[in-house]
């Protein structure tokens, strides 16, 4: 087994990462998963790992608690199921792309054209492992909170469909370069990636300056049409093409057991699943009656089924004991706050619980973070005027969940 070799690399099937609870793999299936495939993944997570399955904020799947010898077995098992990890530079479309009745345009052809050009020009080998592109067709589940090097977002200009190109960051923080049609969007995206590659393997699009980007921006239209930034809540009912529905469920604090995932997959029969950003799992092509039955199963199994569930407002990293760097039992603290003080979660901010100062799971938008340190907790508020009494409650609850409480 090859552990992570490239600087800044993410854990993958080929290069798992050692964590506090064993080896961890992360992968994003190229397409959806059949219910059978999802059920078999759940079996393998129990057989080869510790039975904990996670869906990340970017909509990737993580399997925890593997061993040095079981991680390759898992990778082989997934290959036998025909599950391919997204390879090369990640070009991401939303989980309902091509299905969503509310999207402006199906973003998959544009994403495919970008992937093809990346492959033809062999740029991938010159780019860092985290360099990514989002292609958002403007549907119900926006990609606005996903950080990317190049962001393309569809909008309508009269009868014309155009793409806004922004670089570096999430939608709120990225820098607008200009607008163009699909051909312009492909050419400009490839030009930005090539520019990043010329700066070296550790470079990201945020490192590019005006001089680097002048020629690319000059080829785009500068008209400034407003595209509001939206948050993606994967939990709920989404009408899709053909008069059917997709139903999204949330994993509380990003985790579910292999038993729960396996049972949900079994209840879904022959339906397809997609992983969704913000820790969601979508079942596709359901008739209304099927959706009601599946949602009743999801409820019983502990998945989040209501879009207003307070657990959706709490973001945690792995925390103790799963992460060896953690000083805080993040999941336990999150459970504690939701069950005893859900009044604090009024929807005006996200509560982020971080096991250490690294803040791996830092959400965008207004948020309050409880950070675990060796002998205490710290509260950090970003774009939130936090009342002193709430700060005191969070500190006191946080201290109760330190992994090594002060003696
Ligand atoms: S923030 Fe710290 S404790 Fe949490 S997963 Fe990252 S390294 Fe581990």
């Amino acid at each position: 087994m090859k552990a992570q070799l490239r600087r800044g690399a993410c854990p993958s099937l080929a290069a798992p990462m050692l964590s506090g609870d064993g080896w961890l793999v992360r992968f994003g299936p190229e397409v959806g998963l059949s219910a059978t495939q999802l059920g078999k993944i759940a079996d393998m997570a129990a057989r080869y790992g510790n039975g904990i399955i996670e869906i990340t904020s970017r909509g990737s799947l993580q399997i925890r608690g593997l061993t040095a010898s079981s991680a390759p077995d898992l990778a082989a098992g997934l290959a036998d199921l025909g599950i391919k990890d997204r390879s090369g530079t990640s070009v991401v479309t939303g989980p309902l792309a091509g299905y969503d009745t509310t999207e402006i345009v199906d973003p998959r052809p544009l994403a495919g054209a970008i992937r093809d050009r990346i492959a033809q020009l062999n740029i991938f080998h010159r780019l860092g492992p985290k360099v990514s592109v989002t292609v958002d067709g403007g549907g119900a589940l926006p990609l606005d909170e996903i950080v990317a090097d190049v962001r393309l977002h569809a909008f309508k200009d009269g009868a014309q469909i155009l793409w806004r190109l922004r670089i570096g960051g999430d939608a709120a923080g990225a820098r607008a370069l200009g607008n163009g049609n699909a051909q312009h969007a492909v050419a400009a995206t490839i030009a930005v990636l090539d520019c990043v590659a010329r700066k070296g393997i550790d470079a990201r699009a945020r490192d590019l300056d005006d001089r680097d980007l002048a020629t690319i921006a000059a080829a785009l239209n500068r008209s400034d049409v407003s595209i509001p930034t939206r948050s993606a809540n994967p939990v709920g009912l989404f009408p899709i093409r053909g008069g059917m529905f997709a139903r999204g469920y949330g994993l509380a604090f990003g985790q579910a057991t292999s038993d729960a995932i396996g049972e949900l997959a079994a209840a879904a029969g022959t339906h397809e699943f997609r992983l969704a950003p913000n820790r969601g799992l979508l079942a596709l092509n359901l008739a209304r009656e099927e959706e009601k039955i599946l949602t009743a199963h999801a409820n019983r199994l502990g998945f989040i089924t209501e879009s207003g569930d307070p657990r959706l407002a709490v973001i945690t990293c792995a925390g103790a004991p799963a992460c060896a760097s953690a000083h805080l039992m993040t999941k336990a603290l999150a459970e504690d706050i939701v069950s005893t003080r859900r009044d604090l979660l009024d929807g005006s901010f996200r509560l982020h619980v971080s096991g250490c100062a690294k803040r791996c799971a830092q959400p965008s938008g207004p948020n309050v973070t409880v950070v675990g340190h060796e002998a205490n907790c710290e509260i950090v508020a970003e774009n939130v005027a936090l009342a002193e009494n709430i700060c005191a409650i969070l500190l006191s609850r946080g201290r109760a969940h330190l992994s090594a409480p002060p003696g």
Side-chain angles (χ1 to χ4, degrees):
M1 181 179 60
K2 179 176 70 160
Q4 284 183 53
L5 296 177
R6 285 177 82 177
R7 195 175 145 220
C10 298
S12 65
L13 286 173
M17 182 179 83
L18 188 57
S19 190
D21 58 352
W23 293 85
L24 163 76
V25 297
R26 182 184 304 158
F27 60 101
E30 263 184 354
V31 287
L33 296 166
S34 69
T36 305
Q37 286 174 322
L38 185 64
K40 291 198 169 163
I41 289 173
D43 288 346
M44 286 192 282
R47 190 175 341 134
Y48 299 132
N50 61 9
I52 297 292
I53 296 176
E54 297 177 324
I55 298 179
T56 68
S57 59
R58 292 180 76 90
S60 296
L61 203 66
Q62 288 188 165
I63 295 181
R64 306 195 68 96
L66 300 159
T67 65
S69 61
S70 72
D73 292 339
L74 172 72
L78 291 169
D80 286 347
L81 285 175
I83 297 171
K84 283 194 195 151
D85 196 3
R86 290 181 206 122
S87 56
T89 300
S90 172
V91 182
V92 181
T93 55
L96 291 177
Y99 287 82
D100 191 339
T101 54
T102 66
E103 69 189 358
I104 294 168
V105 63
D106 181 351
R108 294 174 301 173
L110 180 56
I114 293 169
R115 286 189 198 105
D116 289 349
R117 284 301 285 155
I118 290 172
Q120 283 162 9
L121 299 172
N122 215 7
I123 304 176
F124 164 62
H125 298 288
R126 298 188 286 124
L127 290 169
K130 291 189 176 176
V131 172
S132 65
V133 178
T134 56
V135 187
D136 191 332
L141 291 174
L143 301 173
D144 289 354
E145 291 170 298
I146 291 184
V147 171
D149 292 80
V150 182
R151 321 185 57 83
L152 293 166
H153 198 297
F155 67 97
K156 272 195 169 164
D157 185 15
Q160 222 187 349
I161 291 168
L162 295 176
W163 295 88
R164 161 80 41 90
L165 188 143
R166 288 176 281 198
I167 62 165
D170 59 13
R175 170 175 170 198
L177 267 199
N179 312 317
N181 62 23
Q183 270 179 322
H184 295 137
V186 175
T189 300
I190 296 300
V192 172
L193 294 178
D194 187 54
C195 216
V196 173
R198 284 171 199 273
K199 296 246 169 209
I201 198 77
D202 290 330
R204 302 295 299 270
R206 62 175 177 252
D207 303 325
L208 303 178
D209 61 26
D210 287 346
R211 253 183 330 174
D212 297 319
L213 296 166
T215 314
I216 304 168
L220 296 168
N221 180 337
R222 294 291 303 170
S223 79
D224 208 11
V225 176
S226 160
I227 303 177
T229 301
R230 295 178 298 141
S231 183
N233 184 344
V235 178
L237 188 65
F238 304 95
I240 59 173
R241 300 193 199 289
M244 304 298 269
F245 294 90
R247 183 55 157 96
Y249 306 113
L251 274 63
F253 317 125
Q255 288 191 338
T257 63
S258 52
D259 286 348
I261 295 272
E263 280 193 52
L264 186 70
T270 58
H271 289 285
E272 180 185 340
F273 284 92
R274 298 243 166 137
L275 308 173
N278 283 339
R279 299 158 291 278
L281 186 59
L282 296 163
L284 256 56
N285 285 320
L286 299 164
R288 198 68 177 89
E289 273 314 302
E290 292 174 313
E291 181 277 320
K292 285 182 186 160
I293 295 167
L294 190 60
T295 298
H297 281 289
N299 226 348
R300 177 181 57 78
L301 293 166
F303 291 95
I304 299 173
T305 59
E306 300 290 334
S307 60
D309 190 304
R311 290 174 290 179
L312 291 167
V314 186
I315 317 294
T316 74
C317 72
C323 175
S325 304
H327 303 295
L328 189 62
M329 292 179 281
T330 54
K331 310 286 178 192
L333 174 55
E335 289 276 6
D336 179 0
I337 299 281
V338 167
S339 57
T340 64
R341 293 307 309 256
R342 68 170 56 192
D343 57 300
L344 302 183
L345 305 168
D346 63 1
S348 64
F349 63 87
R350 282 176 168 154
L351 179 63
H352 171 213
V353 186
S354 183
C356 78
K358 195 172 169 197
R359 294 161 71 176
C360 295
Q362 182 69 46
S364 58
N367 64 81
V368 174
T369 302
V370 183
V371 186
H373 294 291
E374 198 169 340
N376 208 341
C377 289
E378 174 191 11
I379 308 295
V380 182
E382 285 180 20
N383 302 317
V384 179
L386 192 65
E388 266 183 38
N389 65 324
I390 298 181
C391 186
I393 293 166
L394 291 174
L395 264 182
S396 132
R397 297 315 310 152
R399 285 179 187 133
H401 293 284
L402 285 168
S403 51

